């Protein structure tokens, strides 16, 4: 069942409340709905976490926590899912997002080379910035929708399957 699988990786709520970075949220962290694990909260947490994974800003975890608190979904799960975009996967994800944005804007992809200067960064953001940001937005929305409905479907499938197994065990005991 997804609940037992996810619960194995969930941190202790008291440990999360003591984190210095999350103190900006104050007493809101004591809301029990942020710590419960059910189909609605897990699916919402997946949507929030996957959406924030495609936000090209360094404060993804704090933004994910804020949106999770605002939406009332599972806080630790939404913050943990942001780490899908880690330093290893981020170049691939953002290059894919750039390609998606370039296709959506119908502009040819620009060749990429890197220089460590402000002039280079400003010039690149003028040429590749719009397709990159559009691609990030498209990937964020699509991945959050797929994550939300995928988790809801997987959760429902798991519950139906466990009920069928339970009925089968009861039927076998009677016969």
């Amino acid at each position: 069942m997804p609940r037992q699988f996810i619960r194995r990786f969930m941190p202790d709520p008291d440990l999360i409340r003591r984190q210095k970075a999350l103190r900006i949220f104050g007493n809101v962290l004591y809301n029990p709905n942020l710590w419960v694990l059910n189909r609605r909260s897990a699916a919402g947490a997946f949507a929030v976490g996957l959406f924030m994974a495609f936000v090209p800003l360094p404060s993804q975890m704090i933004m994910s926590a804020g949106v999770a608190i605002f939406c009332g979904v599972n806080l630790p799960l939404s913050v943990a899912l942001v780490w899908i975009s880690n330093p290893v996967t981020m170049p691939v994800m953002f290059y894919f997002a750039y390609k998606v944005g370039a296709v959506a804007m119908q502009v040819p992809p620009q060749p990429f080379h890197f220089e460590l200067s402000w002039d280079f960064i400003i010039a690149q953001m003028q040429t590749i910035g719009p397709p990159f940001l559009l691609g990030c937005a498209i990937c964020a929305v699509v991945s959050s929708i797929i994550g939300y409905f995928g988790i809801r479907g997987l959760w429902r499938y798991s519950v139906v399957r466990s009920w069928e197994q339970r009925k089968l065990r009861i039927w076998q005991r009677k016969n």
Side-chain angles (χ1 to χ4, degrees), residues 143-159:
S143 66
S144 66
I145 289 171
I146 290 171
Y148 180 81
F149 288 111
I151 291 299
R152 284 191 69 96
L154 181 64
W155 200 289
R156 176 154 171 63
Y157 170 76
S158 175
V159 169

Side-chain angles (χ1 to χ4, degrees), residues 120-138:
F120 170 77
I121 292 173
I122 292 171
Q124 287 294 346
M125 287 313 285
Q126 290 173 352
T127 58
I128 67 169
F132 171 66
L133 294 176
L134 178 65
C136 284
I138 291 171

Side-chain angles (χ1 to χ4, degrees), residues 97-123:
Y98 168 69
K99 288 285 198 176
V100 168
V103 169
M105 291 182 74
Q106 298 177 349
V107 296
Q110 301 292 321
F112 182 74
H113 66 282
F114 183 73
E115 295 175 21
L116 191 57
S117 70
W118 283 111
D119 295 332
F120 170 77
I121 292 173
I122 292 171

Side-chain angles (χ1 to χ4, degrees), residues 2-175:
R3 181 181 297 185
Q4 284 102 14
F5 178 75
I6 294 172
R7 192 167 282 164
R8 280 190 279 174
F9 301 105
M10 297 276 290
D12 183 37
D14 293 326
L15 181 70
I16 296 291
R17 288 182 193 126
R18 288 187 298 225
Q19 293 294 321
K20 290 180 183 179
L22 296 177
R23 286 189 186 160
I24 62 172
F25 297 116
N27 291 333
V28 183
L29 293 177
Y30 293 104
N31 181 357
N33 291 331
L34 300 176
W35 309 102
V36 70
L37 190 59
N38 55 34
R39 181 171 47 173
R40 183 196 160 278
S41 70
F46 264 77
V48 169
L50 291 174
F51 185 90
M52 289 299 163
F54 278 97
V55 173
L57 295 173
S59 58
Q60 293 171 324
M61 289 175 60
I62 294 172
M63 290 187 299
S64 178
V67 173
I69 289 169
F70 178 75
C71 294
V73 298
N74 190 282
L75 179 66
L77 192 56
S78 65
V79 170
L81 281 165
V82 169
W83 278 94
I84 288 174
S85 66
N86 57 56
V88 175
T89 62
M90 197 176 290
V92 175
M93 288 175 59
F94 286 160
Y95 182 70
F96 177 74
Y98 168 69
K99 288 285 198 176
V100 168
V103 169
M105 291 182 74
Q106 298 177 349
V107 296
Q110 301 292 321
F112 182 74
H113 66 282
F114 183 73
E115 295 175 21
L116 191 57
S117 70
W118 283 111
D119 295 332
F120 170 77
I121 292 173
I122 292 171
Q124 287 294 346
M125 287 313 285
Q126 290 173 352
T127 58
I128 67 169
F132 171 66
L133 294 176
L134 178 65
C136 284
I138 291 171
C139 291
V141 169
V142 169
S143 66
S144 66
I145 289 171
I146 290 171
Y148 180 81
F149 288 111
I151 291 299
R152 284 191 69 96
L154 181 64
W155 200 289
R156 176 154 171 63
Y157 170 76
S158 175
V159 169
V160 168
R161 194 171 124 227
S162 74
W163 274 100
E164 288 174 355
Q165 289 175 349
R166 182 178 178 204
K167 282 194 257 183
L168 182 64
R169 282 193 309 267
I170 292 171
W171 183 79
Q172 286 175 348
R173 277 190 234 148
K174 288 182 180 181
N175 293 331

